[in-house]
Amino acid sequence: MSSTPRLPSAGASVSAPEYHANPTWKSKNEAQQVDYPSAEAFQSVMAKIGRLPGLVSPNEIDRLRTQLASVAEGNAFLLQTGDCAELFDYCNPEQIQAKLKLSLLMSLILIWGARKPVVRIGRIAGQYAKPRSKPTEIITKVDPATGEATKHEIISFRGDNINAFSAEPASGRIPDPERLLQAYFHSAATLNHIRSELASGLADLHAPRQWSFQHVQSSALQAEFESVVDSLTDALDFMKTIGADTSTFSSSSVLNSVDYFISHEGLSLAYEEALTRLVRKPTADKPSPARNVHASDLASGALDNETLERYDLSAHTIWLGDRTRQLDGAHVDFFSSIRNPVGIKVGPSMKPQELIDILDILNPDVPIPAAATAARASGWTTPSGAPEVVYGKEKGRVMVIIRLGAAKVATHLPPLLEAIAASNHKDSIILLCDPMHGNTQTSPYPPASSDPNAQPLKTRSFGDIISEILAFLQIISSDFPTLHLGGVHLELTGDKDVTECFGGSMRLDPKDLERGYKSHCDPRLNFEQSLDVAFLLSHYFRNQRLGKRAGATASSDEEIKKQQAIIASGSGDELLAELICGITNRPQSA
């Protein structure tokens, strides 16, 4: 990409250093803006963060961009997982390791079924902000002396980096800019532990049984995982015998380490801007590695002829929320100015043309290296008089994270996919299914707690989650052969004994939710339900892969109607039961 970002606001483009010195997003309306009591205190904190090192490196971001290009081409699968909203208290070794292990387990299961690399992105080390539909909420307080209950209006909880979750004292809900500084250091500590765990062999495929599977209740799923591990161990023994397993001689190998990238919703633009740096990029005539540019470099004029680009070093990738994607808004402007891969949350209110307009802003035509154009015959443009220069969309630059809900996916998804398939973005974007956000409901059972402030629990049906994923897959495969599912975006936890969503192979009932309801935000899949999703997807991709290889005939009309009926009913647990039955009865030779 050139040093001239194409920005949505400017009629004429500006250079990266010029935009960096005077970012135009600050002149636009910023949705979900936080009102701090002291503007001076807020600016002081932003100045401190601006002087701190980035949390990630430009080279790591570029490595993710390369892997996401492979996802866009259909040669890899993206698994994005983590908490709805992190709390600072989650920054402890046990919980960080639990999330890592669950991601590794899920990716191993997916790799075995799909035979594709899995790109792992965590909603972690920065997912502290929480968008809200209302600035205030009503709580009930009981006078301990009289027992009289009164209602009070207080500021809504906006995430641990803005204010406190506890409603007592009410002053804790007043936005405090120092919390953004705490968010930086908690993110840094979390990321440091992730890196140390991976460097210490947590991801070593030679010891997959260390990734705890013991509290999974389904004996069929336990047996399936054991068969995966046995096959993997046998393959590694063979590789070691013939000398192909380099881990015997080296501590750095794809077999004992993985990439794990971090992400969060880019809600607080001042925080994101404070961690955005100008980066000198290598070119053919100046191949030195990428590095951050400092103010002294610019002042000296030594970089006047260099290619400089903006990287947000708060995370490897950030996403636009469904409430912050206004075409003329500050968030879209900021996202268009950075080189990180970015995501867009797409809900039922998104119109097809609106989505294409956002994609045009976030992923304009850019110069494409000649080597990258050889494998694609269409979709490129050549400027008049410059036949050696080819322009097109950067593959994997944008992840479209679709969150519709099981009840709406059949009606709302096809128009969106039709617009994408007809656009010049069709082979550059990554389609992600987020089956969580559109399926939130209130538990039919009132809270058992005697606390007068207790509210009905938010929950999600595992059946709805699975039905949305499978409906997504079915619609793409039957009606949009030029597109493919690039991955899934899931809210989950690696913590044990969590009961926030009902259903799954453990047959969790809505009455059981309060037994282990720990979320301070939205309900998450627990450990076993997360593996249920991984096995269902792995099973789907395995059948697809082996069916194509064997030239198998298509499913019968009766089988198709049965699956469609299960999807339409939202009873994904029946599909899971079918899977477990199929695993149990599968011939060993398969």
Side-chain angles (χ1 to χ4, degrees), residues 80 83-84 121-124 127 129 131 262-267 317-322 324 331 335 341-345 399 401 434 437 489 491:
Q80 189 166 6
D83 283 294
C84 166
I121 301 178
R123 293 171 54 112
I124 195 171
Q127 180 54 13
I262 64 168
S263 67
H264 60 256
E265 181 173 354
L267 203 58
T317 176
I318 57 175
W319 71 84
L320 276 167
D322 205 32
T324 55
H331 285 81
F335 275 61
V342 297
I344 315 167
K345 282 292 186 85
M399 294 162 276
I401 309 165
D434 172 359
H437 287 86
H489 185 112
E491 290 185 349

PDB file of all heavy atoms in Angstrom, residues 80 83-84 121-124 127 129 131 262-267 317-322 324 331 335 341-345 399 401 434 437 489 491:
ATOM      1  N   GLN A  80     -12.113 -16.998  15.893  1.00  0.00           N
ATOM      2  CA  GLN A  80     -11.998 -15.828  16.764  1.00  0.00           C
ATOM      3  C   GLN A  80     -12.868 -16.066  17.996  1.00  0.00           C
ATOM      4  O   GLN A  80     -14.087 -16.224  17.892  1.00  0.00           O
ATOM      5  CB  GLN A  80     -12.435 -14.561  16.028  1.00  0.00           C
ATOM      6  CG  GLN A  80     -12.134 -13.284  16.789  1.00  0.00           C
ATOM      7  CD  GLN A  80     -12.261 -12.032  15.921  1.00  0.00           C
ATOM      8  OE1 GLN A  80     -12.675 -12.102  14.778  1.00  0.00           O
ATOM      9  NE2 GLN A  80     -11.885 -10.889  16.465  1.00  0.00           N
ATOM     10  N   ASP A  83     -13.986 -13.573  25.545  1.00  0.00           N
ATOM     11  CA  ASP A  83     -15.041 -13.006  26.379  1.00  0.00           C
ATOM     12  C   ASP A  83     -15.828 -11.929  25.660  1.00  0.00           C
ATOM     13  O   ASP A  83     -15.302 -11.224  24.798  1.00  0.00           O
ATOM     14  CB  ASP A  83     -14.429 -12.394  27.644  1.00  0.00           C
ATOM     15  CG  ASP A  83     -14.036 -13.441  28.666  1.00  0.00           C
ATOM     16  OD1 ASP A  83     -14.937 -14.107  29.195  1.00  0.00           O
ATOM     17  OD2 ASP A  83     -12.832 -13.607  28.905  1.00  0.00           O
ATOM     18  N   CYS A  84     -17.085 -11.775  26.074  1.00  0.00           N
ATOM     19  CA  CYS A  84     -17.895 -10.651  25.611  1.00  0.00           C
ATOM     20  C   CYS A  84     -17.200  -9.355  25.994  1.00  0.00           C
ATOM     21  O   CYS A  84     -16.943  -8.493  25.156  1.00  0.00           O
ATOM     22  CB  CYS A  84     -19.278 -10.724  26.236  1.00  0.00           C
ATOM     23  SG  CYS A  84     -20.224  -9.199  26.060  1.00  0.00           S
ATOM     24  N   ILE A 121      -7.507 -15.994  16.643  1.00  0.00           N
ATOM     25  CA  ILE A 121      -7.565 -14.622  17.138  1.00  0.00           C
ATOM     26  C   ILE A 121      -8.382 -14.625  18.424  1.00  0.00           C
ATOM     27  O   ILE A 121      -9.490 -15.171  18.453  1.00  0.00           O
ATOM     28  CB  ILE A 121      -8.206 -13.664  16.112  1.00  0.00           C
ATOM     29  CG1 ILE A 121      -7.413 -13.664  14.800  1.00  0.00           C
ATOM     30  CG2 ILE A 121      -8.293 -12.247  16.676  1.00  0.00           C
ATOM     31  CD1 ILE A 121      -8.010 -12.768  13.722  1.00  0.00           C
ATOM     32  N   GLY A 122      -7.841 -14.042  19.478  1.00  0.00           N
ATOM     33  CA  GLY A 122      -8.550 -13.990  20.743  1.00  0.00           C
ATOM     34  C   GLY A 122      -9.197 -12.637  20.976  1.00  0.00           C
ATOM     35  O   GLY A 122      -8.626 -11.594  20.654  1.00  0.00           O
ATOM     36  N   ARG A 123     -10.407 -12.660  21.523  1.00  0.00           N
ATOM     37  CA  ARG A 123     -11.026 -11.434  22.057  1.00  0.00           C
ATOM     38  C   ARG A 123     -10.442 -11.264  23.467  1.00  0.00           C
ATOM     39  O   ARG A 123     -11.083 -11.601  24.458  1.00  0.00           O
ATOM     40  CB  ARG A 123     -12.549 -11.604  22.133  1.00  0.00           C
ATOM     41  CG  ARG A 123     -13.271 -11.728  20.806  1.00  0.00           C
ATOM     42  CD  ARG A 123     -14.739 -12.106  21.018  1.00  0.00           C
ATOM     43  NE  ARG A 123     -15.438 -11.203  21.924  1.00  0.00           N
ATOM     44  CZ  ARG A 123     -16.403 -10.360  21.559  1.00  0.00           C
ATOM     45  NH1 ARG A 123     -16.794 -10.301  20.291  1.00  0.00           N
ATOM     46  NH2 ARG A 123     -16.997  -9.587  22.450  1.00  0.00           N
ATOM     47  N   ILE A 124      -9.229 -10.786  23.533  1.00  0.00           N
ATOM     48  CA  ILE A 124      -8.492 -10.819  24.793  1.00  0.00           C
ATOM     49  C   ILE A 124      -7.413  -9.743  24.778  1.00  0.00           C
ATOM     50  O   ILE A 124      -7.063  -9.213  23.716  1.00  0.00           O
ATOM     51  CB  ILE A 124      -7.854 -12.223  24.996  1.00  0.00           C
ATOM     52  CG1 ILE A 124      -7.390 -12.429  26.436  1.00  0.00           C
ATOM     53  CG2 ILE A 124      -6.731 -12.471  24.007  1.00  0.00           C
ATOM     54  CD1 ILE A 124      -6.960 -13.872  26.724  1.00  0.00           C
ATOM     55  N   GLN A 127     -10.191  -6.299  25.360  1.00  0.00           N
ATOM     56  CA  GLN A 127     -11.634  -6.251  25.121  1.00  0.00           C
ATOM     57  C   GLN A 127     -12.356  -5.774  26.391  1.00  0.00           C
ATOM     58  O   GLN A 127     -13.168  -6.486  26.981  1.00  0.00           O
ATOM     59  CB  GLN A 127     -12.140  -7.637  24.663  1.00  0.00           C
ATOM     60  CG  GLN A 127     -13.618  -7.759  24.382  1.00  0.00           C
ATOM     61  CD  GLN A 127     -14.178  -6.748  23.404  1.00  0.00           C
ATOM     62  OE1 GLN A 127     -13.448  -6.058  22.713  1.00  0.00           O
ATOM     63  NE2 GLN A 127     -15.484  -6.639  23.342  1.00  0.00           N
ATOM     64  N   ALA A 129     -14.013  -2.618  26.676  1.00  0.00           N
ATOM     65  CA  ALA A 129     -15.074  -1.631  26.462  1.00  0.00           C
ATOM     66  C   ALA A 129     -16.390  -2.310  26.124  1.00  0.00           C
ATOM     67  O   ALA A 129     -16.417  -3.396  25.543  1.00  0.00           O
ATOM     68  CB  ALA A 129     -14.680  -0.673  25.348  1.00  0.00           C
ATOM     69  N   PRO A 131     -20.166  -1.255  24.451  1.00  0.00           N
ATOM     70  CA  PRO A 131     -21.127  -0.283  23.920  1.00  0.00           C
ATOM     71  C   PRO A 131     -22.483  -0.461  24.591  1.00  0.00           C
ATOM     72  O   PRO A 131     -22.861  -1.568  24.962  1.00  0.00           O
ATOM     73  CB  PRO A 131     -21.195  -0.623  22.428  1.00  0.00           C
ATOM     74  CG  PRO A 131     -20.796  -2.066  22.351  1.00  0.00           C
ATOM     75  CD  PRO A 131     -19.816  -2.281  23.462  1.00  0.00           C
ATOM     76  N   ILE A 262      -4.330 -11.054  18.951  1.00  0.00           N
ATOM     77  CA  ILE A 262      -5.313 -10.468  19.866  1.00  0.00           C
ATOM     78  C   ILE A 262      -6.166  -9.426  19.138  1.00  0.00           C
ATOM     79  O   ILE A 262      -5.732  -8.820  18.153  1.00  0.00           O
ATOM     80  CB  ILE A 262      -4.646  -9.833  21.101  1.00  0.00           C
ATOM     81  CG1 ILE A 262      -3.747  -8.660  20.713  1.00  0.00           C
ATOM     82  CG2 ILE A 262      -3.855 -10.877  21.874  1.00  0.00           C
ATOM     83  CD1 ILE A 262      -3.283  -7.809  21.890  1.00  0.00           C
ATOM     84  N   SER A 263      -7.379  -9.225  19.659  1.00  0.00           N
ATOM     85  CA  SER A 263      -8.313  -8.298  19.025  1.00  0.00           C
ATOM     86  C   SER A 263      -9.247  -7.721  20.073  1.00  0.00           C
ATOM     87  O   SER A 263      -9.410  -8.258  21.166  1.00  0.00           O
ATOM     88  CB  SER A 263      -9.137  -9.030  17.958  1.00  0.00           C
ATOM     89  OG  SER A 263      -9.997  -9.990  18.565  1.00  0.00           O
ATOM     90  N   HIS A 264      -9.875  -6.609  19.728  1.00  0.00           N
ATOM     91  CA  HIS A 264     -10.945  -6.049  20.551  1.00  0.00           C
ATOM     92  C   HIS A 264     -11.761  -5.086  19.695  1.00  0.00           C
ATOM     93  O   HIS A 264     -11.360  -4.728  18.584  1.00  0.00           O
ATOM     94  CB  HIS A 264     -10.388  -5.325  21.790  1.00  0.00           C
ATOM     95  CG  HIS A 264      -9.477  -4.176  21.479  1.00  0.00           C
ATOM     96  ND1 HIS A 264      -8.108  -4.265  21.603  1.00  0.00           N
ATOM     97  CD2 HIS A 264      -9.706  -2.912  21.058  1.00  0.00           C
ATOM     98  CE1 HIS A 264      -7.548  -3.118  21.274  1.00  0.00           C
ATOM     99  NE2 HIS A 264      -8.510  -2.265  20.935  1.00  0.00           N
ATOM    100  N   GLU A 265     -12.902  -4.677  20.222  1.00  0.00           N
ATOM    101  CA  GLU A 265     -13.698  -3.675  19.523  1.00  0.00           C
ATOM    102  C   GLU A 265     -13.028  -2.314  19.692  1.00  0.00           C
ATOM    103  O   GLU A 265     -12.722  -1.897  20.809  1.00  0.00           O
ATOM    104  CB  GLU A 265     -15.122  -3.627  20.061  1.00  0.00           C
ATOM    105  CG  GLU A 265     -15.992  -2.598  19.344  1.00  0.00           C
ATOM    106  CD  GLU A 265     -17.449  -2.638  19.748  1.00  0.00           C
ATOM    107  OE1 GLU A 265     -17.833  -3.544  20.523  1.00  0.00           O
ATOM    108  OE2 GLU A 265     -18.216  -1.764  19.278  1.00  0.00           O
ATOM    109  N   GLY A 266     -12.805  -1.624  18.585  1.00  0.00           N
ATOM    110  CA  GLY A 266     -12.151  -0.318  18.632  1.00  0.00           C
ATOM    111  C   GLY A 266     -13.146   0.771  18.986  1.00  0.00           C
ATOM    112  O   GLY A 266     -13.544   1.571  18.132  1.00  0.00           O
ATOM    113  N   LEU A 267     -13.533   0.816  20.257  1.00  0.00           N
ATOM    114  CA  LEU A 267     -14.614   1.708  20.682  1.00  0.00           C
ATOM    115  C   LEU A 267     -14.095   3.093  21.063  1.00  0.00           C
ATOM    116  O   LEU A 267     -14.642   4.115  20.644  1.00  0.00           O
ATOM    117  CB  LEU A 267     -15.358   1.074  21.860  1.00  0.00           C
ATOM    118  CG  LEU A 267     -16.793   1.528  22.106  1.00  0.00           C
ATOM    119  CD1 LEU A 267     -17.676   1.292  20.900  1.00  0.00           C
ATOM    120  CD2 LEU A 267     -17.367   0.809  23.327  1.00  0.00           C
ATOM    121  N   THR A 317      -5.697  -6.768  15.400  1.00  0.00           N
ATOM    122  CA  THR A 317      -6.869  -6.389  14.611  1.00  0.00           C
ATOM    123  C   THR A 317      -7.943  -5.851  15.544  1.00  0.00           C
ATOM    124  O   THR A 317      -8.039  -6.280  16.705  1.00  0.00           O
ATOM    125  CB  THR A 317      -7.413  -7.579  13.790  1.00  0.00           C
ATOM    126  OG1 THR A 317      -8.621  -7.179  13.117  1.00  0.00           O
ATOM    127  CG2 THR A 317      -7.741  -8.772  14.668  1.00  0.00           C
ATOM    128  N   ILE A 318      -8.725  -4.889  15.063  1.00  0.00           N
ATOM    129  CA  ILE A 318      -9.840  -4.354  15.827  1.00  0.00           C
ATOM    130  C   ILE A 318     -11.080  -4.384  14.935  1.00  0.00           C
ATOM    131  O   ILE A 318     -10.981  -4.508  13.707  1.00  0.00           O
ATOM    132  CB  ILE A 318      -9.579  -2.916  16.326  1.00  0.00           C
ATOM    133  CG1 ILE A 318      -9.271  -1.980  15.159  1.00  0.00           C
ATOM    134  CG2 ILE A 318      -8.434  -2.904  17.335  1.00  0.00           C
ATOM    135  CD1 ILE A 318      -9.110  -0.517  15.574  1.00  0.00           C
ATOM    136  N   TRP A 319     -12.243  -4.311  15.565  1.00  0.00           N
ATOM    137  CA  TRP A 319     -13.464  -4.343  14.757  1.00  0.00           C
ATOM    138  C   TRP A 319     -14.394  -3.180  15.086  1.00  0.00           C
ATOM    139  O   TRP A 319     -14.381  -2.639  16.176  1.00  0.00           O
ATOM    140  CB  TRP A 319     -14.190  -5.679  14.890  1.00  0.00           C
ATOM    141  CG  TRP A 319     -14.861  -5.944  16.201  1.00  0.00           C
ATOM    142  CD1 TRP A 319     -16.104  -5.532  16.611  1.00  0.00           C
ATOM    143  CD2 TRP A 319     -14.351  -6.729  17.292  1.00  0.00           C
ATOM    144  NE1 TRP A 319     -16.384  -5.985  17.864  1.00  0.00           N
ATOM    145  CE2 TRP A 319     -15.328  -6.731  18.320  1.00  0.00           C
ATOM    146  CE3 TRP A 319     -13.153  -7.415  17.508  1.00  0.00           C
ATOM    147  CZ2 TRP A 319     -15.145  -7.390  19.524  1.00  0.00           C
ATOM    148  CZ3 TRP A 319     -12.988  -8.080  18.714  1.00  0.00           C
ATOM    149  CH2 TRP A 319     -13.966  -8.067  19.702  1.00  0.00           C
ATOM    150  N   LEU A 320     -15.209  -2.834  14.053  1.00  0.00           N
ATOM    151  CA  LEU A 320     -16.273  -1.847  14.173  1.00  0.00           C
ATOM    152  C   LEU A 320     -17.507  -2.539  14.728  1.00  0.00           C
ATOM    153  O   LEU A 320     -17.911  -3.594  14.233  1.00  0.00           O
ATOM    154  CB  LEU A 320     -16.639  -1.287  12.796  1.00  0.00           C
ATOM    155  CG  LEU A 320     -15.837  -0.139  12.206  1.00  0.00           C
ATOM    156  CD1 LEU A 320     -16.198   0.010  10.736  1.00  0.00           C
ATOM    157  CD2 LEU A 320     -16.136   1.155  12.937  1.00  0.00           C
ATOM    158  N   GLY A 321     -18.138  -1.934  15.728  1.00  0.00           N
ATOM    159  CA  GLY A 321     -19.364  -2.495  16.258  1.00  0.00           C
ATOM    160  C   GLY A 321     -20.573  -2.126  15.413  1.00  0.00           C
ATOM    161  O   GLY A 321     -20.511  -1.247  14.554  1.00  0.00           O
ATOM    162  N   ASP A 322     -21.674  -2.790  15.664  1.00  0.00           N
ATOM    163  CA  ASP A 322     -22.904  -2.518  14.929  1.00  0.00           C
ATOM    164  C   ASP A 322     -23.433  -1.119  15.247  1.00  0.00           C
ATOM    165  O   ASP A 322     -24.236  -0.568  14.499  1.00  0.00           O
ATOM    166  CB  ASP A 322     -23.956  -3.580  15.289  1.00  0.00           C
ATOM    167  CG  ASP A 322     -24.997  -3.771  14.197  1.00  0.00           C
ATOM    168  OD1 ASP A 322     -24.639  -3.597  13.018  1.00  0.00           O
ATOM    169  OD2 ASP A 322     -26.153  -4.073  14.520  1.00  0.00           O
ATOM    170  N   THR A 324     -21.337   1.556  15.731  1.00  0.00           N
ATOM    171  CA  THR A 324     -20.323   2.580  15.411  1.00  0.00           C
ATOM    172  C   THR A 324     -19.905   2.548  13.944  1.00  0.00           C
ATOM    173  O   THR A 324     -18.817   3.021  13.602  1.00  0.00           O
ATOM    174  CB  THR A 324     -19.074   2.391  16.290  1.00  0.00           C
ATOM    175  OG1 THR A 324     -18.567   1.055  16.146  1.00  0.00           O
ATOM    176  CG2 THR A 324     -19.388   2.646  17.758  1.00  0.00           C
ATOM    177  N   HIS A 331     -15.558   6.598  13.554  1.00  0.00           N
ATOM    178  CA  HIS A 331     -14.965   5.256  13.623  1.00  0.00           C
ATOM    179  C   HIS A 331     -14.580   4.737  12.233  1.00  0.00           C
ATOM    180  O   HIS A 331     -13.484   4.192  12.053  1.00  0.00           O
ATOM    181  CB  HIS A 331     -15.943   4.282  14.298  1.00  0.00           C
ATOM    182  CG  HIS A 331     -16.024   4.454  15.775  1.00  0.00           C
ATOM    183  ND1 HIS A 331     -16.790   5.426  16.375  1.00  0.00           N
ATOM    184  CD2 HIS A 331     -15.405   3.787  16.799  1.00  0.00           C
ATOM    185  CE1 HIS A 331     -16.662   5.350  17.687  1.00  0.00           C
ATOM    186  NE2 HIS A 331     -15.824   4.371  17.972  1.00  0.00           N
ATOM    187  N   PHE A 335     -10.781   3.777  11.126  1.00  0.00           N
ATOM    188  CA  PHE A 335     -10.469   2.426  10.660  1.00  0.00           C
ATOM    189  C   PHE A 335      -9.886   2.445   9.246  1.00  0.00           C
ATOM    190  O   PHE A 335      -9.061   1.595   8.902  1.00  0.00           O
ATOM    191  CB  PHE A 335     -11.727   1.562  10.698  1.00  0.00           C
ATOM    192  CG  PHE A 335     -12.002   0.927  12.035  1.00  0.00           C
ATOM    193  CD1 PHE A 335     -12.212   1.704  13.168  1.00  0.00           C
ATOM    194  CD2 PHE A 335     -12.071  -0.450  12.177  1.00  0.00           C
ATOM    195  CE1 PHE A 335     -12.475   1.138  14.402  1.00  0.00           C
ATOM    196  CE2 PHE A 335     -12.331  -1.042  13.415  1.00  0.00           C
ATOM    197  CZ  PHE A 335     -12.524  -0.245  14.522  1.00  0.00           C
ATOM    198  N   PRO A 341      -5.587  -5.290   9.686  1.00  0.00           N
ATOM    199  CA  PRO A 341      -6.849  -5.853   9.209  1.00  0.00           C
ATOM    200  C   PRO A 341      -7.961  -5.453  10.169  1.00  0.00           C
ATOM    201  O   PRO A 341      -7.727  -5.312  11.375  1.00  0.00           O
ATOM    202  CB  PRO A 341      -6.608  -7.369   9.224  1.00  0.00           C
ATOM    203  CG  PRO A 341      -5.373  -7.582  10.013  1.00  0.00           C
ATOM    204  CD  PRO A 341      -4.619  -6.307  10.091  1.00  0.00           C
ATOM    205  N   VAL A 342      -9.150  -5.224   9.649  1.00  0.00           N
ATOM    206  CA  VAL A 342     -10.243  -4.730  10.480  1.00  0.00           C
ATOM    207  C   VAL A 342     -11.493  -5.571  10.249  1.00  0.00           C
ATOM    208  O   VAL A 342     -11.631  -6.242   9.223  1.00  0.00           O
ATOM    209  CB  VAL A 342     -10.555  -3.242  10.197  1.00  0.00           C
ATOM    210  CG1 VAL A 342      -9.356  -2.370  10.545  1.00  0.00           C
ATOM    211  CG2 VAL A 342     -10.960  -3.034   8.739  1.00  0.00           C
ATOM    212  N   GLY A 343     -12.411  -5.516  11.236  1.00  0.00           N
ATOM    213  CA  GLY A 343     -13.673  -6.224  11.123  1.00  0.00           C
ATOM    214  C   GLY A 343     -14.846  -5.262  11.162  1.00  0.00           C
ATOM    215  O   GLY A 343     -14.733  -4.138  11.659  1.00  0.00           O
ATOM    216  N   ILE A 344     -15.977  -5.717  10.618  1.00  0.00           N
ATOM    217  CA  ILE A 344     -17.231  -4.961  10.680  1.00  0.00           C
ATOM    218  C   ILE A 344     -18.296  -5.897  11.214  1.00  0.00           C
ATOM    219  O   ILE A 344     -18.538  -6.971  10.636  1.00  0.00           O
ATOM    220  CB  ILE A 344     -17.715  -4.489   9.299  1.00  0.00           C
ATOM    221  CG1 ILE A 344     -16.602  -3.889   8.467  1.00  0.00           C
ATOM    222  CG2 ILE A 344     -18.878  -3.514   9.429  1.00  0.00           C
ATOM    223  CD1 ILE A 344     -16.996  -3.708   7.011  1.00  0.00           C
ATOM    224  N   LYS A 345     -18.943  -5.505  12.317  1.00  0.00           N
ATOM    225  CA  LYS A 345     -20.085  -6.275  12.796  1.00  0.00           C
ATOM    226  C   LYS A 345     -21.317  -5.890  11.966  1.00  0.00           C
ATOM    227  O   LYS A 345     -21.628  -4.704  11.816  1.00  0.00           O
ATOM    228  CB  LYS A 345     -20.336  -6.005  14.285  1.00  0.00           C
ATOM    229  CG  LYS A 345     -19.388  -6.724  15.224  1.00  0.00           C
ATOM    230  CD  LYS A 345     -19.620  -8.225  15.191  1.00  0.00           C
ATOM    231  CE  LYS A 345     -18.776  -8.947  16.229  1.00  0.00           C
ATOM    232  NZ  LYS A 345     -19.395  -8.980  17.535  1.00  0.00           N
ATOM    233  N   MET A 399     -12.774  -8.231   7.588  1.00  0.00           N
ATOM    234  CA  MET A 399     -13.594  -9.362   8.030  1.00  0.00           C
ATOM    235  C   MET A 399     -15.024  -8.868   8.232  1.00  0.00           C
ATOM    236  O   MET A 399     -15.245  -7.939   9.017  1.00  0.00           O
ATOM    237  CB  MET A 399     -13.039  -9.933   9.334  1.00  0.00           C
ATOM    238  CG  MET A 399     -11.672 -10.560   9.199  1.00  0.00           C
ATOM    239  SD  MET A 399     -10.812 -10.759  10.805  1.00  0.00           S
ATOM    240  CE  MET A 399     -10.104  -9.115  10.986  1.00  0.00           C
ATOM    241  N   ILE A 401     -18.259  -9.604   9.884  1.00  0.00           N
ATOM    242  CA  ILE A 401     -18.695 -10.463  10.988  1.00  0.00           C
ATOM    243  C   ILE A 401     -20.220 -10.372  11.078  1.00  0.00           C
ATOM    244  O   ILE A 401     -20.761  -9.400  11.602  1.00  0.00           O
ATOM    245  CB  ILE A 401     -18.035 -10.038  12.310  1.00  0.00           C
ATOM    246  CG1 ILE A 401     -16.506  -9.922  12.134  1.00  0.00           C
ATOM    247  CG2 ILE A 401     -18.366 -11.016  13.426  1.00  0.00           C
ATOM    248  CD1 ILE A 401     -15.811  -9.182  13.258  1.00  0.00           C
ATOM    249  N   ASP A 434     -21.043 -14.863  13.249  1.00  0.00           N
ATOM    250  CA  ASP A 434     -21.130 -14.629  14.692  1.00  0.00           C
ATOM    251  C   ASP A 434     -22.524 -15.091  15.134  1.00  0.00           C
ATOM    252  O   ASP A 434     -23.499 -14.350  15.005  1.00  0.00           O
ATOM    253  CB  ASP A 434     -20.928 -13.144  14.991  1.00  0.00           C
ATOM    254  CG  ASP A 434     -21.203 -12.782  16.456  1.00  0.00           C
ATOM    255  OD1 ASP A 434     -21.573 -13.677  17.232  1.00  0.00           O
ATOM    256  OD2 ASP A 434     -21.073 -11.600  16.807  1.00  0.00           O
ATOM    257  N   HIS A 437     -24.526 -12.975  19.071  1.00  0.00           N
ATOM    258  CA  HIS A 437     -25.189 -11.727  19.433  1.00  0.00           C
ATOM    259  C   HIS A 437     -26.651 -11.657  19.014  1.00  0.00           C
ATOM    260  O   HIS A 437     -27.448 -10.998  19.667  1.00  0.00           O
ATOM    261  CB  HIS A 437     -24.413 -10.549  18.852  1.00  0.00           C
ATOM    262  CG  HIS A 437     -23.124 -10.295  19.563  1.00  0.00           C
ATOM    263  ND1 HIS A 437     -21.957 -10.947  19.243  1.00  0.00           N
ATOM    264  CD2 HIS A 437     -22.826  -9.488  20.608  1.00  0.00           C
ATOM    265  CE1 HIS A 437     -20.994 -10.542  20.041  1.00  0.00           C
ATOM    266  NE2 HIS A 437     -21.482  -9.659  20.880  1.00  0.00           N
ATOM    267  N   HIS A 489     -16.957 -16.412  14.867  1.00  0.00           N
ATOM    268  CA  HIS A 489     -16.629 -15.427  15.894  1.00  0.00           C
ATOM    269  C   HIS A 489     -17.500 -15.757  17.106  1.00  0.00           C
ATOM    270  O   HIS A 489     -18.721 -15.560  17.065  1.00  0.00           O
ATOM    271  CB  HIS A 489     -16.938 -14.027  15.345  1.00  0.00           C
ATOM    272  CG  HIS A 489     -16.535 -12.900  16.240  1.00  0.00           C
ATOM    273  ND1 HIS A 489     -15.525 -12.025  15.920  1.00  0.00           N
ATOM    274  CD2 HIS A 489     -17.002 -12.485  17.438  1.00  0.00           C
ATOM    275  CE1 HIS A 489     -15.392 -11.122  16.869  1.00  0.00           C
ATOM    276  NE2 HIS A 489     -16.287 -11.386  17.809  1.00  0.00           N
ATOM    277  N   GLU A 491     -18.311 -16.011  21.433  1.00  0.00           N
ATOM    278  CA  GLU A 491     -18.073 -15.577  22.811  1.00  0.00           C
ATOM    279  C   GLU A 491     -18.092 -16.819  23.694  1.00  0.00           C
ATOM    280  O   GLU A 491     -19.095 -17.544  23.749  1.00  0.00           O
ATOM    281  CB  GLU A 491     -19.137 -14.569  23.253  1.00  0.00           C
ATOM    282  CG  GLU A 491     -18.988 -13.233  22.553  1.00  0.00           C
ATOM    283  CD  GLU A 491     -19.962 -12.189  23.063  1.00  0.00           C
ATOM    284  OE1 GLU A 491     -20.887 -12.555  23.808  1.00  0.00           O
ATOM    285  OE2 GLU A 491     -19.806 -11.008  22.710  1.00  0.00           O
TER     286      GLU A 491
END
